[in-house]
Amino acid sequence: MTSRLRDAIDRRAIADGVPLFLPAIPFGFVLGLAIVEGEMPLAIGWLSSPIIFAGAAQLAVVTLAGTASIWAVVVAGLVINTRHVMYSAAMAPAFQRQPRWMRWVGPYFLIDQVFALAVLQTDRPPAEFRRYYLSVGIFFALNWQWAVALGMVVGPVVPEGWRLDYAPAVMFLCLVVLGVQRRPQAVAAVVGGVVGLAAAGLQDRLGILVGAVAGVAAGAYAEHRNESRTPAQVAS
Amino acid sequence: MNPWSALAIVLMVGAMTYGMRAVVIVALADRVIPQPVERALRSVGPAVLAALAVNLAAGGEGGGVDITVAEVAALLVAGGVAWWRRHMLVALLAGMVTLWVLSAIT
């Protein structure tokens, strides 16, 4: 059984996953702390890891729960995860060659890091791709659980003066900066941040949604301008 | 917080997150996402996370903006270091150290 399991694991996938998982450990740690500091019952806060399995959305949900209406929390979590529709679209051709069970199971593991690694492997034969994808996906899914649990255990021991309650805000800002690859995304982030700040006084953390909608609209407009300008620049 | 409300939130977000990851793979594999929708999707991540960061930082629970100089400086330093080093852990540490030092001084 053990040797069969060993054969089923793609070691290269694990080797590829380790460097991407290391930066996720402090993220899981901050999330664990946020669960302890937040108003959700601890067990349910931790269950967000296996059930939602998306760090930024989990952080938003456990931080906002109890301070905003249920629907505001759900919408915030979902809006953060809408980028996964793009991942799904990008991976769809590779999954067309997979058995039906894999098309249903695979999407559960489609987090940022798994997408980043697996999208480079889509030219492999279907069985090899499946082995790689599931190896790296299960690697991240299992390790994520203990990273969050560790944060929950160590969190209460950390003195209040360390201001770890402020860490989620800093981490979200870092995620924004690291996630911006192109100018329209920078426009979306700046407009989202500025409008979100201007609307921060709104009840129920509605300012997040107002800022997000403004940012997405500005980003889409910037994308449109970018695309319509590019041919002229090429011609000149 | 009521455990059932908390569980409902986690289950709803979990189910819909899975749905968003699965939707094209399972259901729409042969269709193309319309250009305007794809354009908007590309901006969703940065826009939401930026709005969320400032809202959490400014304490946006309806009580007006409440943020200290040390907190603003922590965000600026973390953002700058993230841009410069492209490393999450280094940027987070830089922001938190800034917060600790300035909070101790002021």
Side-chain angles (χ1 to χ4, degrees):
Chain A
M1 181 65 197
T2 315
S3 67
R4 274 182 63 189
L5 185 66
R6 208 178 297 140
D7 289 345
I9 295 170
D10 185 334
R11 289 187 191 176
R12 219 195 88 199
I14 306 298
D16 289 348
V18 168
L20 282 189
F21 181 69
L22 292 179
I25 294 175
F27 194 156
F29 196 78
V30 171
L31 175 60
L33 280 169
I35 291 171
V36 175
E37 299 265 320
E39 301 201 12
M40 271 194 176
L42 294 185
I44 296 173
W46 180 81
L47 271 178
S48 68
S49 289
I51 294 176
I52 300 176
F53 189 33
Q58 281 178 253
L59 191 55
V61 164
V62 301
T63 312
L64 297 180
T67 70
S69 73
I70 289 181
W71 296 111
V73 178
V74 170
V75 167
L78 292 180
V79 171
I80 290 171
N81 279 344
T82 46
R83 68 186 185 285
H84 292 148
V85 176
M86 288 179 66
Y87 298 167
S88 187
M91 298 300 285
F95 274 86
Q96 277 301 290
R97 299 187 292 273
Q98 294 297 329
R100 181 181 287 267
W101 68 265
M102 178 65 182
R103 276 186 246 162
W104 285 98
V105 171
Y108 171 77
F109 300 106
L110 197 52
I111 60 172
D112 298 318
Q113 293 91 336
V114 173
F115 170 75
L117 292 173
V119 77
L120 304 174
Q121 309 291 333
T122 50
D123 289 339
R124 284 189 172 192
E128 269 187 40
F129 171 80
R130 185 162 64 246
R131 196 161 153 251
Y132 184 95
Y133 183 93
L134 289 177
S135 296
V136 77
I138 292 170
F139 168 79
F140 272 95
L142 292 179
N143 284 309
W144 183 238
Q145 316 307 327
W146 70 251
V148 175
L150 188 68
M152 291 176 69
V153 172
V154 179
V157 184
V158 177
E160 265 187 37
W162 288 23
R163 289 296 315 272
L164 290 181
D165 60 308
Y166 198 68
V170 178
M171 186 159 277
F172 277 123
L173 188 89
C174 295
L175 278 176
V176 174
V177 174
L178 292 173
V180 167
Q181 309 279 350
R182 302 160 54 249
R183 187 179 300 218
Q185 290 176 318
V187 171
V190 171
V191 172
V194 171
V195 175
L197 185 61
L202 292 178
Q203 290 289 340
D204 235 6
R205 295 204 182 264
L206 201 61
I208 298 171
L209 200 58
V210 173
V213 170
V216 170
Y221 178 69
E223 289 271 10
H224 177 68
R225 279 190 57 129
N226 220 20
E227 282 167 20
S228 55
R229 200 188 291 164
T230 308
Q233 283 176 339
V234 170
S236 65
Chain B
M1 183 182 194
N2 178 347
W4 294 110
S5 304
L7 190 60
I9 290 173
V10 169
L11 287 175
M12 275 192 280
V13 177
M16 292 188 213
T17 299
Y18 172 78
M20 284 190 277
R21 288 171 181 163
V23 63
V24 189
I25 287 173
V26 172
L28 302 170
D30 300 328
R31 301 190 196 172
V32 178
I33 298 181
Q35 270 260 303
V37 176
E38 205 191 324
R39 264 204 296 266
L41 283 175
R42 277 183 232 155
S43 301
V44 168
V48 180
L49 292 175
L52 193 59
V54 297
N55 193 281
L56 289 176
E61 288 178 61
V65 174
D66 173 25
I67 191 164
T68 64
V69 174
E71 289 171 348
V72 173
L75 290 180
L76 292 176
V77 168
V81 172
W83 185 260
W84 174 44
R85 304 295 298 182
R86 313 301 297 173
H87 195 293
M88 166 72 98
L89 184 56
V90 173
L92 178 67
L93 278 176
M96 293 309 288
V97 168
T98 305
L99 180 65
W100 296 330
V101 171
L102 290 183
S103 298
I105 294 172
T106 52

